[in-house]
Amino acid sequence: MELAYLDNAASEPLRPQALAALNDTAASLAGIGANPSSAHAAGRKAAALLETARARVAKSLGADPAEVIFTGGGTDSCALALRGLARAARRQDSHRTQIVISQVEHDAVRLNAADLEDAGFQVQVLPVDAGGVVDLEAVVALDTSQIAAISVMSVCNENGVIQPVAELCRRLREKAAADTRDAQGDSSTAAKGTGSGRDSGFAIHTDAIAAAGRQEINFAESPVDAISLACHKVGGPAALGVLLARREVKIASDRRGGGQERALRAGTQDVIAAVGAAAAFEAAQQELVETTRRHQDLREKLLQGALAIPGVKLASNAPAVPGIIQFALQGAEAEGLLFALDQAGICASAGSACHTGVARPSPVLLAQGYSEQDALGSLRISFGWSTREKDVDRLLQALPSALDASRKLAERERK
């Protein structure tokens, strides 16, 4: 049975451009090894390929090549950023022991923040509204003199909601300038540069893993200090991530070793994967306008059909990228629904792929105020570069019966 693949937020199929780059690079390195840290001719060839790939990734993302750090994946990128930025800030100022995250962060951020509590940090969680958007008014209550690092995602991986990261940065830095003036009693402090702009004593990170390929990413114009990305989310190879980090921002890495990647993420780099990732990011950037238009058309078709089914509603009406849609399904449970869809050859998810096999309410829906029972009935549909109109047609054809089967199963379990 041909599959209708609608789980691209979990992982996109490998793009043809990335596959060709992987094959060509593997062939060019065959028989000579590929350790770019070696000083001999083979090592220099591998290093040249790696640095060319780094420059291509940088150009696609509006960054300088020196700001591109290859990691072991998106989770590794988030962990390196959050842990490293927080520890570096505390080393500069022992009072900076607070980490600020949003209520809807992926586990890659949330669990790493929780682990840092064991190292003496405190975690402050910014709430979201009923649409899943971070409450910017909560920024006013923060004591910015204690903040070490902030991490707020660019696009929610479950519902596609776009978070107001730029406005969050502006408010945080304005608050930091005001807090500094109040503490020193000197209204000229902000003019001197202390507590304003990027010189606020804390660093701001965003998990843009769900945004890549769905929004333009231009690091040079971004107000954040670090951005995390995952290559397989744009049709590149898995197990390779990118951390964009400004050169002036201090990161206290816990991934020490041979000094690779600005001595922040030690270990022999995967040259072949880096070249494949460069090809994927380039293609995603070049096709962004067309992808957005096509995803918008597919979204309209999906919503028109799905919302006509009783008990199906859009989980959030907040502004979102068109390629990620989350439904809240009254009376259904995701586990039974996904099984029924899978039997029909349709690949979908309840939310983050990291929670596959775990029957638990969607944490994003819970944060939005849904009850635990209602949050169990979550369905995420996500489009990618290869999604076709007939994939949506198949989902709409199968969804009513799959929902009916899920509701019957849920009713039996409740009895």
Side-chain angles (χ1 to χ4, degrees):
M1 182 191 302
E2 183 183 9
L3 297 178
Y5 187 75
L6 294 167
D7 196 20
N8 292 271
S11 189
E12 284 202 357
L14 195 63
R15 290 177 183 265
Q17 301 94 325
L19 179 59
L22 292 169
N23 289 336
D24 291 347
T25 307
S28 72
L29 291 171
I32 65 170
N35 191 329
S37 296
S38 297
H40 47 59
R44 293 196 300 275
K45 179 176 181 178
L49 287 169
L50 178 68
E51 295 314 311
T52 299
R54 192 188 309 278
R56 291 169 63 190
V57 171
K59 184 177 180 180
S60 297
L61 300 172
D64 186 275
E67 296 173 324
V68 176
I69 300 161
F70 289 118
T71 70
T75 294
D76 188 37
S77 177
C78 288
L80 173 60
L82 190 62
R83 291 172 179 268
L85 293 170
R87 287 171 170 153
R90 188 171 64 176
R91 287 181 185 179
Q92 292 290 113
D93 181 351
S94 61
H95 292 95
R96 295 195 175 276
T97 59
Q98 190 173 89
I99 296 169
V100 180
I101 65 173
S102 84
Q103 196 177 7
V104 292
E105 294 303 306
H106 187 278
D107 282 353
V109 167
R110 186 179 63 83
L111 295 182
N112 275 288
D115 282 350
L116 284 169
E117 290 183 306
D118 294 335
F121 288 92
Q122 298 86 43
V123 178
Q124 176 74 35
V125 179
L126 297 175
V128 297
D129 62 20
V133 180
V134 172
D135 180 8
L136 293 174
E137 297 304 317
V139 172
V140 178
L142 296 174
D143 181 354
T144 59
S145 68
Q146 296 183 23
I147 298 175
I150 302 101
S151 185
V152 173
M153 59 173 41
S154 297
V155 170
C156 180
N157 61 295
E158 283 201 22
N159 57 24
V161 167
I162 300 167
Q163 297 296 349
V165 174
E167 179 64 14
L168 177 79
C169 290
R170 186 187 70 79
R171 294 196 186 194
L172 274 168
R173 289 177 173 136
E174 285 183 356
K175 181 66 163 51
D179 287 348
T180 301
R181 288 195 299 269
D182 290 344
Q184 297 185 0
D186 181 0
S187 61
S188 66
T189 300
K192 295 176 184 177
T194 303
S196 63
R198 295 194 184 280
D199 185 19
S200 303
F202 54 78
I204 303 175
H205 164 260
T206 186
D207 166 4
I209 291 170
R214 297 180 174 90
Q215 281 188 322
E216 182 178 5
I217 296 175
N218 189 322
F219 193 43
E221 297 179 2
S222 172
V224 303
D225 301 298
I227 296 177
S228 288
L229 302 156
C231 302
H232 70 111
K233 304 290 188 175
V234 293
L240 189 75
V242 168
L243 175 63
L244 301 179
R246 303 196 188 279
R247 284 169 289 186
E248 67 271 19
V249 172
K250 292 180 173 57
I251 300 176
S253 176
D254 57 357
R255 289 153 173 80
R256 311 278 298 174
Q260 294 93 341
E261 302 301 311
R262 283 171 45 184
L264 296 177
R265 212 282 179 178
T268 302
Q269 300 99 326
D270 188 337
V271 175
I272 297 172
V275 177
F281 277 116
E282 284 175 345
Q285 176 62 25
Q286 292 164 4
E287 298 168 11
L288 181 59
V289 173
E290 171 58 24
T291 295
T292 302
R293 183 200 62 76
R294 188 166 53 84
H295 284 185
Q296 186 63 54
D297 290 344
L298 291 171
R299 180 188 184 93
E300 290 175 5
K301 183 181 186 68
L302 174 61
L303 293 183
Q304 183 178 11
L307 297 182
I309 302 172
V312 176
K313 71 174 184 177
L314 196 61
S316 170
N317 290 312
V321 294
I324 302 177
I325 305 102
Q326 185 179 32
F327 295 107
L329 312 170
Q330 186 178 12
E333 291 188 5
E335 187 174 16
L337 174 67
L338 295 178
F339 178 79
L341 291 177
D342 187 50
Q343 292 298 296
I346 297 166
C347 302
S349 67
S352 173
C354 302
H355 299 152
T356 298
V358 181
R360 71 182 196 185
S362 161
V364 172
L365 292 183
L366 290 176
Q368 291 176 227
Y370 285 81
S371 69
E372 286 201 13
Q373 184 58 51
D374 288 343
L376 281 168
S378 168
L379 174 66
R380 181 184 70 178
I381 302 299
S382 49
F383 308 140
W385 68 267
S386 63
T387 309
R388 305 155 298 180
E389 186 176 359
K390 67 179 183 179
D391 297 326
V392 175
D393 289 335
R394 281 185 60 187
L395 172 65
L396 291 175
Q397 183 179 15
L399 188 55
S401 60
L403 267 171
D404 185 55
S406 172
R407 286 168 175 152
K408 288 178 180 177
L409 177 62
E411 184 62 29
R412 286 198 300 269
E413 290 178 348
R414 283 193 286 270
K415 290 179 178 178

